[in-house]
Amino acid sequence: MSEVDELRAEVARLRARVKQLRDGPDHWMGELSYVFVMTYGRSGSTLLMGLLNTIPGYLIRGENDDALRFLFDFHRTCVERSSYWPIDRVRRKTDAFYGIGDFPPALSIADTRRLAVDTLLRPKPDTRVTGFKEIRWWRHDDLDAYVAWLREVFPGARFLVNTRDHADVLKSKWWAKGDDKSAHLADIERRLLETADRLGDAAYRVHFDDYVADPSVLAPMFAWLGEEYDDAEVRATMERKHSV
Protein backbone atom coordinates (compact mmCIF):
# COMPACT_ATOMS: atom_id res chain seq x y z
CA MET A 1 0.00 0.00 0.00
CA SER A 2 1.37 3.40 -1.00
CA GLU A 3 1.64 6.33 1.39
CA VAL A 4 -1.29 8.01 -0.38
CA ASP A 5 -3.41 4.88 0.06
CA GLU A 6 -2.49 4.75 3.75
CA LEU A 7 -3.58 8.35 4.21
CA ARG A 8 -6.85 7.71 2.40
CA ALA A 9 -7.49 4.71 4.62
CA GLU A 10 -6.79 6.82 7.70
CA VAL A 11 -9.19 9.52 6.51
CA ALA A 12 -11.86 6.89 5.96
CA ARG A 13 -11.28 5.49 9.45
CA LEU A 14 -11.55 8.93 11.03
CA ARG A 15 -14.73 9.71 9.11
CA ALA A 16 -16.24 6.45 10.29
CA ARG A 17 -15.24 7.25 13.86
CA VAL A 18 -16.79 10.71 13.65
CA LYS A 19 -20.02 9.16 12.39
CA GLN A 20 -19.92 6.65 15.23
CA LEU A 21 -19.51 9.47 17.74
CA ARG A 22 -22.43 11.33 16.20
CA ASP A 23 -24.81 8.42 15.74
CA GLY A 24 -23.59 5.69 18.06
CA PRO A 25 -24.90 4.68 21.49
CA ASP A 26 -22.87 7.38 23.21
CA HIS A 27 -24.39 10.29 21.27
CA TRP A 28 -26.37 11.23 24.39
CA MET A 29 -23.18 12.68 25.90
CA GLY A 30 -23.87 15.80 23.90
CA GLU A 31 -26.88 16.41 26.13
CA LEU A 32 -24.85 16.50 29.35
CA SER A 33 -23.70 19.66 31.10
CA TYR A 34 -20.64 19.80 33.33
CA VAL A 35 -19.71 21.48 36.62
CA PHE A 36 -16.33 21.17 38.34
CA VAL A 37 -15.45 22.31 41.85
CA MET A 38 -12.05 24.00 42.12
CA THR A 39 -10.63 24.21 45.62
CA TYR A 40 -7.92 23.05 48.02
CA GLY A 41 -7.91 20.47 50.78
CA ARG A 42 -9.94 21.02 53.96
CA SER A 43 -12.06 23.75 52.40
CA GLY A 44 -15.44 22.11 52.97
CA SER A 45 -15.80 21.08 49.34
CA THR A 46 -17.32 17.70 50.23
CA LEU A 47 -20.27 19.55 51.73
CA LEU A 48 -20.54 21.66 48.58
CA MET A 49 -20.53 18.47 46.52
CA GLY A 50 -23.36 17.16 48.67
CA LEU A 51 -25.33 20.36 48.19
CA LEU A 52 -24.92 20.20 44.42
CA ASN A 53 -26.12 16.61 44.44
CA THR A 54 -29.41 17.68 46.02
CA ILE A 55 -30.34 19.20 42.67
CA PRO A 56 -32.45 16.78 40.61
CA GLY A 57 -30.41 15.43 37.71
CA TYR A 58 -27.02 16.37 39.19
CA LEU A 59 -24.26 13.81 39.71
CA ILE A 60 -21.08 15.48 40.96
CA ARG A 61 -18.40 12.95 41.83
CA GLY A 62 -15.69 13.28 44.45
CA GLU A 63 -11.95 13.66 44.00
CA ASN A 64 -9.97 11.47 41.61
CA ASP A 65 -6.42 12.55 42.55
CA ASP A 66 -6.30 14.83 39.50
CA ALA A 67 -6.32 11.76 37.26
CA LEU A 68 -7.20 13.69 34.11
CA ARG A 69 -3.84 15.46 34.21
CA PHE A 70 -2.30 12.37 32.58
CA LEU A 71 -4.71 12.61 29.65
CA PHE A 72 -4.01 16.33 29.42
CA ASP A 73 -0.26 15.66 29.27
CA PHE A 74 -0.84 12.97 26.63
CA HIS A 75 -2.92 15.28 24.46
CA ARG A 76 -0.65 18.30 24.84
CA THR A 77 2.50 16.27 24.14
CA CYS A 78 1.06 14.69 21.01
CA VAL A 79 -0.26 18.00 19.69
CA GLU A 80 3.08 19.72 20.27
CA ARG A 81 5.11 16.89 18.74
CA SER A 82 2.78 16.59 15.75
CA SER A 83 3.75 20.05 14.53
CA TYR A 84 7.37 20.07 15.68
CA TRP A 85 8.85 18.48 12.55
CA PRO A 86 7.99 18.99 8.86
CA ILE A 87 4.99 16.85 8.00
CA ASP A 88 6.65 15.26 4.97
CA ARG A 89 9.49 14.08 7.20
CA VAL A 90 7.34 12.39 9.86
CA ARG A 91 5.26 10.65 7.20
CA ARG A 92 8.30 8.71 6.06
CA LYS A 93 8.48 5.17 7.39
CA THR A 94 12.21 5.62 7.83
CA ASP A 95 11.81 8.53 10.26
CA ALA A 96 12.17 8.02 14.02
CA PHE A 97 8.91 9.94 14.60
CA TYR A 98 6.95 8.30 11.80
CA GLY A 99 3.23 8.99 12.15
CA ILE A 100 3.20 11.61 14.89
CA GLY A 101 2.46 14.40 12.41
CA ASP A 102 -0.99 12.97 11.72
CA PHE A 103 -2.10 12.91 15.35
CA PRO A 104 -5.85 13.79 15.30
CA PRO A 105 -6.55 16.38 18.06
CA ALA A 106 -10.32 16.41 17.59
CA LEU A 107 -10.53 12.64 17.86
CA SER A 108 -8.30 12.72 20.94
CA ILE A 109 -10.64 15.22 22.61
CA ALA A 110 -13.77 13.27 21.68
CA ASP A 111 -12.38 9.95 22.91
CA THR A 112 -11.10 11.55 26.12
CA ARG A 113 -14.62 12.83 26.77
CA ARG A 114 -16.10 9.40 26.21
CA LEU A 115 -13.49 7.72 28.42
CA ALA A 116 -13.97 10.20 31.26
CA VAL A 117 -17.75 10.10 31.08
CA ASP A 118 -17.96 6.30 30.82
CA THR A 119 -15.40 5.45 33.51
CA LEU A 120 -14.97 8.43 35.84
CA LEU A 121 -18.28 10.31 35.85
CA ARG A 122 -20.60 7.38 35.02
CA PRO A 123 -23.82 9.39 34.65
CA LYS A 124 -27.12 7.69 35.37
CA PRO A 125 -30.07 7.68 32.96
CA ASP A 126 -31.58 10.74 34.66
CA THR A 127 -28.31 12.71 34.93
CA ARG A 128 -28.40 16.16 33.37
CA VAL A 129 -25.27 17.67 34.92
CA THR A 130 -22.15 15.84 35.99
CA GLY A 131 -18.60 16.64 37.02
CA PHE A 132 -16.36 16.29 40.04
CA LYS A 133 -14.70 18.21 42.81
CA GLU A 134 -10.92 18.27 43.06
CA ILE A 135 -8.39 19.77 45.48
CA ARG A 136 -5.20 19.20 43.47
CA TRP A 137 -5.40 22.00 40.92
CA TRP A 138 -2.17 23.34 42.43
CA ARG A 139 -0.23 20.61 40.62
CA HIS A 140 -0.63 22.45 37.31
CA ASP A 141 2.05 24.99 36.46
CA ASP A 142 -0.20 26.35 33.71
CA LEU A 143 -3.65 26.11 35.24
CA ASP A 144 -5.25 28.19 32.50
CA ALA A 145 -4.04 25.73 29.85
CA TYR A 146 -5.40 22.76 31.77
CA VAL A 147 -8.78 24.42 32.33
CA ALA A 148 -8.94 25.39 28.65
CA TRP A 149 -8.38 21.73 27.75
CA LEU A 150 -11.10 20.65 30.19
CA ARG A 151 -13.48 23.03 28.45
CA GLU A 152 -12.64 21.39 25.13
CA VAL A 153 -13.21 17.93 26.55
CA PHE A 154 -16.38 18.99 28.37
CA PRO A 155 -18.12 21.62 26.22
CA GLY A 156 -19.80 24.37 28.20
CA ALA A 157 -18.12 23.31 31.46
CA ARG A 158 -18.53 25.66 34.41
CA PHE A 159 -16.34 25.97 37.48
CA LEU A 160 -17.24 26.57 41.11
CA VAL A 161 -14.41 27.92 43.26
CA ASN A 162 -14.82 27.04 46.93
CA THR A 163 -12.75 28.93 49.51
CA ARG A 164 -12.56 28.88 53.30
CA ASP A 165 -11.06 30.99 56.06
CA HIS A 166 -7.34 30.25 55.94
CA ALA A 167 -6.92 30.10 59.71
CA ASP A 168 -9.36 27.18 59.88
CA VAL A 169 -7.81 25.41 56.90
CA LEU A 170 -4.31 25.69 58.35
CA LYS A 171 -5.42 24.05 61.60
CA SER A 172 -6.81 21.02 59.79
CA LYS A 173 -4.98 17.72 59.27
CA TRP A 174 -1.90 17.89 57.01
CA TRP A 175 -1.95 21.69 56.81
CA ALA A 176 -1.08 21.82 60.53
CA LYS A 177 1.89 19.46 60.25
CA GLY A 178 5.47 20.61 59.74
CA ASP A 179 6.42 24.06 58.49
CA ASP A 180 4.00 26.95 58.18
CA LYS A 181 2.00 26.54 54.95
CA SER A 182 0.10 29.82 54.96
CA ALA A 183 2.00 31.23 51.97
CA HIS A 184 1.41 28.03 49.98
CA LEU A 185 -2.31 28.12 50.74
CA ALA A 186 -2.55 31.79 49.81
CA ASP A 187 -0.77 31.10 46.52
CA ILE A 188 -3.12 28.22 45.66
CA GLU A 189 -6.19 30.35 46.32
CA ARG A 190 -4.76 33.28 44.36
CA ARG A 191 -4.17 31.09 41.32
CA LEU A 192 -7.65 29.57 41.50
CA LEU A 193 -9.29 32.97 41.76
CA GLU A 194 -7.20 34.43 38.94
CA THR A 195 -8.18 31.56 36.66
CA ALA A 196 -11.82 31.98 37.70
CA ASP A 197 -11.66 35.70 36.90
CA ARG A 198 -10.42 34.90 33.40
CA LEU A 199 -13.27 32.43 32.93
CA GLY A 200 -15.83 35.19 33.39
CA ASP A 201 -19.40 33.91 33.59
CA ALA A 202 -18.16 30.31 33.36
CA ALA A 203 -16.93 30.52 36.97
CA TYR A 204 -18.53 31.34 40.30
CA ARG A 205 -17.06 31.67 43.79
CA VAL A 206 -18.58 30.54 47.08
CA HIS A 207 -17.08 30.80 50.57
CA PHE A 208 -17.57 27.95 53.04
CA ASP A 209 -17.83 30.14 56.13
CA ASP A 210 -20.51 32.29 54.51
CA TYR A 211 -22.86 29.50 53.46
CA VAL A 212 -22.41 27.56 56.70
CA ALA A 213 -23.42 30.67 58.64
CA ASP A 214 -26.30 31.47 56.29
CA PRO A 215 -27.28 28.83 53.71
CA SER A 216 -29.43 31.34 51.83
CA VAL A 217 -26.29 33.00 50.45
CA LEU A 218 -26.14 30.00 48.10
CA ALA A 219 -29.31 31.13 46.31
CA PRO A 220 -27.31 33.17 43.74
CA MET A 221 -25.12 30.13 43.05
CA PHE A 222 -28.21 28.08 42.28
CA ALA A 223 -29.43 30.89 40.03
CA TRP A 224 -26.05 30.92 38.25
CA LEU A 225 -26.49 27.20 37.65
CA GLY A 226 -29.99 27.83 36.34
CA GLU A 227 -31.55 25.80 39.14
CA GLU A 228 -34.12 26.48 41.84
CA TYR A 229 -32.89 27.06 45.37
CA ASP A 230 -34.61 24.73 47.86
CA ASP A 231 -33.84 26.18 51.27
CA ALA A 232 -35.27 23.23 53.20
CA GLU A 233 -33.27 20.69 51.19
CA VAL A 234 -30.08 22.73 51.51
CA ARG A 235 -30.46 23.05 55.28
CA ALA A 236 -31.28 19.35 55.67
CA THR A 237 -28.16 18.43 53.69
CA MET A 238 -26.00 20.72 55.80
CA GLU A 239 -27.20 18.96 58.94
CA ARG A 240 -25.75 15.68 57.69
CA LYS A 241 -22.09 15.06 58.43
CA HIS A 242 -19.73 15.54 55.50
CA SER A 243 -15.95 15.39 55.42
CA VAL A 244 -14.90 18.97 56.21
Side-chain angles (χ1 to χ4, degrees), residues 28 32 59 61 121-128:
W28 59 272
L32 287 172
L59 182 60
R61 299 290 188 181
L121 301 178
R122 303 184 308 282
K124 298 177 181 179
D126 63 345
T127 299
R128 298 182 294 114

Side-chain angles (χ1 to χ4, degrees), residues 188-209:
I188 293 173
E189 183 169 296
R190 175 189 59 79
R191 293 179 60 211
L192 291 177
L193 293 177
E194 287 178 353
T195 294
D197 284 343
R198 286 187 283 270
L199 286 170
D201 292 340
Y204 191 90
R205 179 188 180 183
V206 292
H207 190 68
F208 176 81
D209 304 277

Side-chain angles (χ1 to χ4, degrees), residues 168-187:
D168 291 328
V169 173
L170 292 168
K171 291 186 293 186
S172 183
K173 291 198 173 180
W174 66 86
W175 288 105
K177 297 178 180 179
D179 297 335
D180 176 57
K181 300 177 180 65
S182 56
H184 179 50
L185 175 58
D187 182 64

